[in-house]
Amino acid sequence: MTQATSPDQVMVELVDADGNTIGLAEKLAAHQPPGQLHRAFSVFLLGPSDGPDAGSVLMQRRALTKYHSPGRWSNTCCSHPYPGEPPVDAVARRVDEELGVKAAGLTPAGTVTYDVTDEVSGLVEKEYNHLFVGRVGSAPDLNPDEVHEVVYVPLDGLEAWLAEHDHTAWLSTVLASARPTLEGLRRG
């Protein structure tokens, strides 16, 4: 699936409180105050199950040139599906586009709705967010327009690590919601 508009005008799905599509909006417009509730996704990938990072989450530091939350740490990948694109397909697409990795064993981890404002840019994250967990299925090949750097952080120490690192406004909310499924994958 591809976006029908130019890269400068990416469209997102506007949704109601139950996640039903009710319209479309240009991505940047949907993030302007007071924000418009729209579909998004967040994914947390653990290291390969047979490797030294099996119990650690691949975290990304957003590219320094991004207009939203540049240089801040965030979960493995987060973005928006194209209109009509199933969220799981969007996850596979964006993980490859941003990190150059294949996601293995993607598992839905529920949804979470939040309304947070980025204190630096003033942009509003008013999202109906589909959560996924899985494992890294190939070595990262970072897209420098999207990702500045990555690091594996042990799941048990992630909150302490986040307390010491500047991170995106939505990260704590999506992590709390995805954590039970992420813990299950780590144990499993």
Side-chain angles (χ1 to χ4, degrees), residues 61-66 68-73 148 166-167:
R61 185 171 174 218
R62 295 167 61 87
L64 304 179
T65 55
K66 298 219 26 128
H68 191 344
S69 303
R72 290 196 181 152
W73 287 95
H148 183 69
D166 189 24
H167 57 82

Side-chain angles (χ1 to χ4, degrees), residues 46-56 104 134-137 152 185-186 188:
L46 295 175
S49 58
D50 59 353
D53 296 310
S56 296
R135 291 201 176 269
V136 173
Y152 281 101
L185 177 63
R186 184 183 66 152

Side-chain angles (χ1 to χ4, degrees), residues 14-15 24-26 29-32 34-38 124 126-127:
L14 300 178
V15 298
L24 300 177
E26 192 278 322
H31 290 88
Q32 297 296 322
Q36 295 174 285
L37 186 61
H38 61 277
V124 177
K126 191 171 189 175
E127 296 184 329

